[in-house]
Amino acid sequence: MNVIELFKFFIQSKSETPDDGGLLDFIENYLPDFEAIRIDIEDVKNLFLYKKFGDGDHLCFAGHVDVVPAGDGWDSNPYEAVEKDGFIYGRGTQDMKSGVAAFTQAVKEATAFNGTLSILLTSDEEGEATYGTVKVLEYLKENRMLPDSVVVAEPTCEDKFGDAIKVGRRGSINGYLTIKGKQGHAAYPEKAINPIHNLSKVLGDMAGVDIDNGDEFFAPSKFVVTDIRSGMQVTNVTPNELKMMFNVRNTTLTTQKEVTEFVDSHLKGLEYELRLTQGSYPFATDTDTKVVKTIDSAIESITGIKPKHSTAGGTSDARFVAQFGINVIEFGVKNDTIHSINERTTAKEVQDLHKVFKVLIDTWK
């Protein structure tokens, strides 16, 4: 198979989370010279393949084979890999079977490498990710097999292929706020404590406000209100309490401590309860590390473009990798139709991604 044939085969395998569509068995058999470790938990399938070529660093390519449901309204069967108007259409074309096909083929074609080369795959990235990549990393840590550098082949490019890599990601802090009041008659507001009125006095200084100033890689951590509700849906009773939810996509400059202090500084004197949860934590990979410099050079050699270093976007499994102290970056095809109807990419992008990964492997020193 060439990389496009492999890519189309992957698209035709229906692998909606946490189903792997049989792809992990296929990839294990496709790379027979690599040692295989399977870590399957409940319905989640995980595969780690590795081969030691020499005594140098351990470079790992990581990704997921699962996709979100296709949904209705496609112009073609989302699991047929239809070529039309210069594009290949199908669920997962961008997110991220293009990346998996590109690095699987590049690794298969590797004949020499200065170190250990590996692949980490899961069928649960689009879901809860509880039993996916993080479980493989835990196993690797216990067995002293953690890689030195990881490339996650998520779609990262913006306007043209090669224009951006991810060197970090923001975290995500969720807030659940309850402001207490005292229910009363609307005609006698002096006898009640109205939490809506109390919040309204400070909401303009909270909603959409930056908690920090950001830095060269991260935009500021912004306090984003996502829901406010209160009252009994009547006009003559003031509410007993108000509930508000918010989200902060936080940089490395802001933690739950700073969010708590931000809320307290505006609600001081009010009776309230605040609960915070955090699904992901921010990270930034040093741009002077080998993995960043080597992939920058590989991208430029294939595309003629020097990629920018970005931290934009939501979350990926790179967040788990970073928690283990591993230098991790993300690079893949353009990201403009992921999770959408008629998701698509071009054959050239997939071919060029394969070429970039081959150069990365060949020039890894």
Side-chain angles (χ1 to χ4, degrees):
M1 282 187 175
N2 61 40
V3 69
I4 297 302
E5 292 170 338
L6 185 65
F7 174 50
K8 288 182 176 180
F9 175 77
F10 286 175
I11 296 301
Q12 292 162 0
S13 299
K14 187 175 182 179
S15 54
E16 295 180 2
T17 311
D19 188 2
D20 76 328
L23 289 177
L24 296 194
D25 286 340
F26 172 85
I27 293 171
E28 181 178 341
N29 292 327
Y30 193 64
L31 299 172
D33 295 335
F34 283 67
E35 296 290 330
I37 297 172
R38 290 297 297 263
I39 303 174
D40 299 339
I41 305 174
E42 296 187 0
D43 294 331
V44 177
K45 305 292 192 299
N46 299 303
L47 172 65
F48 184 73
L49 296 168
Y50 68 99
K51 181 177 180 179
K52 186 173 181 178
F53 291 82
D55 295 327
D57 289 354
H58 180 175
L59 173 64
C60 176
F61 291 92
H64 61 92
V65 298
D66 61 313
V67 297
V68 297
D72 300 322
W74 285 69
D75 294 334
S76 58
N77 186 330
Y79 296 106
E80 279 189 6
V82 172
E83 287 197 68
K84 183 176 64 174
D85 302 326
F87 292 95
I88 299 175
Y89 289 81
R91 175 55 84 221
T93 47
Q94 287 189 341
D95 189 13
M96 61 170 284
K97 291 182 177 180
S98 51
V100 175
F103 67 59
T104 298
Q105 191 65 26
V107 166
K108 183 178 180 65
E109 294 169 357
T111 56
F113 183 72
N114 182 32
T116 298
L117 198 55
S118 66
I119 288 177
L120 191 166
L121 291 168
T122 185
S123 70
D124 183 25
E125 192 270 353
E126 299 291 4
E128 295 297 324
T130 303
Y131 300 123
T133 296
V134 67
K135 292 300 182 182
V136 181
L137 291 166
E138 289 173 355
Y139 173 89
L140 296 178
K141 181 179 180 179
E142 290 172 3
N143 290 274
R144 297 183 180 180
M145 296 174 65
L146 282 174
D148 299 292
S149 303
V150 171
V151 176
V152 182
E154 290 280 3
T156 60
C157 298
E158 298 173 359
D159 298 318
K160 60 178 64 175
F161 178 76
D163 65 4
I165 69 171
K166 295 280 198 288
V167 296
R169 292 276 189 165
R170 297 175 296 174
S172 181
I173 298 174
N174 298 311
Y176 306 85
L177 176 66
T178 301
I179 298 177
K180 304 293 185 177
K182 180 181 178 183
Q183 184 175 309
H185 197 296
Y188 303 97
E190 70 279 2
K191 297 181 180 181
I193 299 174
N194 192 327
I196 298 176
H197 289 184
N198 286 338
L199 177 63
S200 68
K201 296 173 184 176
V202 297
L203 185 59
D205 296 322
M206 299 177 70
V209 171
D210 295 340
I211 298 178
D212 61 47
N213 294 322
D215 57 28
E216 61 176 316
F217 295 117
F218 290 99
S221 303
K222 192 178 296 291
F223 189 94
V224 178
V225 177
T226 58
D227 189 88
I228 297 176
R229 57 191 65 200
S230 185
M232 302 167 62
Q233 295 188 321
V234 296
T235 60
N236 60 346
V237 180
T238 60
N240 194 53
E241 64 180 21
L242 177 148
K243 294 183 180 294
M244 183 173 82
M245 291 189 289
F246 62 87
N247 177 263
V248 179
R249 295 300 167 113
N250 63 307
T251 74
T252 53
L253 303 173
T254 291
T255 67
Q256 292 187 34
K257 176 177 179 289
E258 282 75 33
V259 174
T260 299
E261 291 172 348
F262 177 84
V263 172
D264 186 65
S265 68
H266 290 91
L267 300 185
K268 191 173 294 293
L270 300 181
E271 183 182 358
Y272 71 90
E273 296 175 355
L274 174 65
R275 179 170 66 91
L276 298 177
T277 63
Q278 187 151 8
S280 60
Y281 292 83
F283 73 91
T285 297
D286 187 344
T287 56
D288 285 330
T289 55
K290 178 162 68 171
V291 67
V292 177
K293 288 184 172 181
T294 309
I295 200 160
D296 276 353
S297 177
I299 293 167
E300 192 166 6
S301 72
I302 298 300
T303 68
I305 299 171
K306 185 174 182 178
K308 75 175 185 180
H309 299 152
S310 170
T311 61
T315 61
S316 77
D317 276 359
R319 71 190 191 273
F320 298 128
V321 178
Q323 290 174 14
F324 286 78
I326 300 168
N327 291 321
V328 57
I329 62 97
E330 300 171 59
F331 179 65
V333 299
K334 280 175 60 177
N335 176 343
D336 59 357
T337 63
I338 67 169
H339 293 200
S340 69
I341 303 301
N342 296 324
E343 183 181 353
R344 65 190 183 275
T345 191
T346 66
K348 184 173 183 353
E349 285 188 61
V350 180
Q351 290 166 335
D352 284 351
L353 182 60
H354 167 244
K355 291 176 183 177
V356 168
F357 290 155
K358 280 180 65 67
V359 172
L360 174 65
I361 291 169
D362 291 342
T363 58
W364 190 260
K365 303 296 183 184

